[in-house]
Amino acid sequence: MKSPLKSTPGCPKTGWEWVRVVDLHDDEGKEYGDYEECEYCTKEQIRYVHYLRHPDWKNTISVGCICASLLTGNGRAEEEEQRLRKLAQRRTNFLRLKSWRTSAKGNMWIEYQDHHIIIVRLSPVKYRLRIDGQLGKLTFSDKQRAMLRAFDVVMQKVSRGC
């Protein structure tokens, strides 16, 4: 077992700068059991990994929310993790929205966040996205994967103001 950074001589206990947070489940497709452990305290199974840097420490470290808050001394880690948790919940709910419809051609479609999304069925195991009239290049093996990708694309557009 790797020893925690908190026990490492010279490792700063304060003054860390928050860099970013990653959701290992939604961003990297990992499942419980494949999540990382906090480098600072070695708590296992951290889905939301916060990256911190310090001018007196050579490497960026990956930690959980509690350690990120303690090391940075501010609430940014909690705020960003809460934002990601809400986004993950919205992503899950997107699949179950009652506003999904089936076209005459058998394609699923929805109006979401002012975007027209169509899950184009090319074959029983091949789907493609059409968002706002633009056909995507990626193909998906099932409609759920296509729907999740559609959500991600629309959220990117919304965050950019498109």
Side-chain angles (χ1 to χ4, degrees):
M1 183 173 164
K2 192 175 175 182
S3 65
L5 283 177
K6 69 180 182 181
S7 304
T8 304
C11 181
K13 308 266 188 261
T14 60
W16 288 84
E17 177 188 354
W18 186 89
V19 177
R20 66 185 173 107
V21 62
V22 173
D23 178 350
L24 294 181
H25 178 75
D26 285 352
D27 294 347
E28 297 184 15
K30 293 185 178 182
E31 297 293 331
Y32 185 81
D34 295 326
Y35 295 160
E36 293 182 16
E37 68 177 31
C38 175
E39 287 184 65
Y40 193 72
C41 70
T42 66
K43 179 182 175 188
E44 297 182 33
Q45 299 306 300
I46 297 171
R47 174 178 169 171
Y48 298 95
V49 179
H50 297 263
Y51 294 93
L52 309 178
R53 66 178 163 224
H54 195 283
D56 298 331
W57 196 254
K58 63 180 178 178
N59 298 324
T60 298
I61 62 171
S62 55
V63 299
C65 187
I66 294 170
C67 288
S69 295
L70 291 170
L71 294 169
T72 61
N74 63 48
R76 178 142 190 217
E78 287 106 344
E79 292 168 7
E80 292 294 330
E81 185 165 318
Q82 186 64 29
R83 182 187 59 77
L84 275 187
R85 286 181 185 278
K86 286 179 181 177
L87 185 63
Q89 187 60 54
R90 286 179 60 205
R91 191 173 192 259
T92 299
N93 292 342
F94 180 74
L95 301 173
R96 298 188 293 255
L97 288 175
K98 292 181 181 177
S99 48
W100 280 103
R101 302 287 182 248
T102 303
S103 72
K105 293 181 180 180
N107 296 321
M108 293 181 62
W109 67 274
I110 191 171
E111 293 288 334
Y112 186 76
Q113 298 283 326
D114 295 325
H115 295 279
H116 185 71
I117 302 166
I118 303 172
I119 309 299
V120 180
R121 183 175 182 220
L122 303 173
S123 76
V125 293
K126 196 172 180 182
Y127 298 85
R128 193 168 273 175
L129 295 176
R130 181 180 300 272
I131 300 176
D132 299 329
Q134 185 173 1
L135 186 64
K137 295 177 183 175
L138 300 176
T139 56
F140 302 89
S141 59
D142 61 62
K143 64 183 164 187
Q144 181 176 336
R145 289 177 199 267
M147 292 165 77
L148 290 172
R149 178 66 179 147
F151 177 83
D152 294 341
V153 169
V154 167
M155 289 297 97
Q156 286 175 350
K157 288 179 177 248
V158 168
S159 69
R160 289 191 316 247
C162 298

